Amino acid sequence: MARFDRGDISLHYEIHGEGFPILLFAPGGMRSAIPFWRGSEWDPIETLSPHFQVIAMDQRNAGQSTAPVSGDDGWHTYTADHIALLDHLGIEKTHLLGGCIGGPYCFGVMHDAPDRVAAAVLQQSIGDSGENRELFHAMFDQWADDVKAAKPEVPEADWASFRSNMFDHEFVYNVSREFVAGCATPLLVLMGSDPYHPEVTSREIAEIAPNARLVEQWKNADEDGTVATVVEFLKGHTPN
């Protein structure tokens, strides 16, 4: 257990294993935090730490991490946290693995610091299906209702602006189709299959990204060989 304090932001993170680093962004929506890996289809902390230095973190105002809230917050706010944590740890280049909301988080780092990402695994990324906007609004509101008690100074207009900055966009919310179509980072796309993680989003990422591979069957990790697939992909793109 470790903490990284940056001004009035405090980020909780853990490091497991040794080797080339991989930064994990957990599932859980706005509550994205380390414990969500424990109940997921497979636990990358446990399965990847024999091969890599695995860095897991709680996102701001989730798990044990805290931060202020403002109406200007959005995906860029989280990306700044991620890059600052890499700087704090002295990591110049890393792999990324993001589940659920971690898909857009991965794209944020690839957008703002492309030279620092060797490869990324996108595990059932969230995305806009054209029919699921209200699901993400409700997910944000449920998280915000829990956080508001500790932040009575934040006006309702700021919460509404923050929510809009996160989820009133198309595709993968954080970056445009044009960016993904020009993103040369090697991507392993583990396909989604439900309203929060639309199959259409995974398929489109894999179709338009120039260096992407789609994996349709992965949720039964032992039967599908998920760990071996991910380890082989990451090792194949680990710099010498």
Side-chain angles (χ1 to χ4, degrees):
M1 175 177 172
R3 304 199 70 82
F4 166 47
D5 294 323
R6 181 166 66 100
D8 47 7
I9 303 162
S10 183
L11 300 178
H12 168 240
Y13 68 95
E14 299 175 1
I15 297 179
H16 302 266
E18 298 179 350
F20 190 79
I22 175 168
L23 177 58
L24 304 185
F25 303 134
M30 297 298 293
R31 292 182 170 88
S32 169
I34 297 167
F36 279 97
W37 288 123
R38 307 304 185 191
S40 62
E41 292 81 2
W42 63 294
D43 183 351
I45 298 174
E46 177 183 350
T47 57
L48 298 183
S49 56
H51 308 279
F52 303 95
Q53 181 190 69
V54 177
I55 304 146
M57 66 178 295
D58 296 347
Q59 301 302 326
R60 56 170 52 209
N61 295 312
Q64 299 180 53
S65 293
T66 59
V69 169
S70 82
D72 294 328
D73 285 344
W75 295 104
H76 63 283
T77 313
Y78 291 91
T79 299
D81 288 345
H82 303 151
I83 294 174
L85 179 59
L86 292 175
D87 290 343
H88 170 69
L89 296 174
I91 294 173
E92 291 299 321
K93 203 172 190 75
T94 186
H95 294 314
L96 303 174
L97 188 153
C100 179
I101 198 170
Y105 288 153
C106 287
F107 278 122
V109 180
M110 288 185 275
H111 182 277
D112 284 12
D115 293 340
R116 300 183 71 168
V117 182
V121 179
L122 310 178
Q123 177 178 300
Q124 59 177 10
S125 176
I126 63 171
D128 174 32
S129 69
E131 301 176 346
N132 61 357
R133 183 67 51 83
E134 291 307 313
L135 290 177
F136 288 101
H137 282 183
M139 178 267 290
F140 180 97
D141 290 344
Q142 290 166 5
W143 163 82
D145 285 345
D146 290 340
V147 177
K148 285 176 182 178
K151 302 184 184 299
E153 74 282 359
V154 181
E156 283 299 321
D158 279 14
W159 291 104
S161 177
F162 185 6
R163 188 183 77 172
S164 179
N165 293 340
M166 294 294 289
F167 296 115
D168 286 351
H169 306 284
E170 296 182 347
F171 192 35
V172 292
Y173 301 116
N174 193 4
V175 295
S176 67
R177 287 180 170 87
E178 290 74 19
F179 171 77
V180 175
C183 178
T185 303
L187 305 178
L188 185 68
V189 183
L190 308 183
M191 189 172 76
S193 59
D194 61 70
Y196 288 97
H197 319 99
E199 178 179 327
V200 65
T201 298
S202 296
R203 290 193 179 280
E204 186 171 5
I205 292 169
E207 179 180 348
I208 68 175
N211 197 7
R213 171 186 168 194
L214 179 67
V215 177
E216 297 184 3
Q217 302 295 326
W218 61 273
K219 292 188 177 182
N220 187 334
D222 292 335
E223 182 178 316
D224 297 330
T226 302
V227 174
T229 298
V230 171
V231 170
E232 179 184 15
F233 169 79
L234 293 173
K235 285 189 173 181
H237 294 289
T238 297
N240 295 324

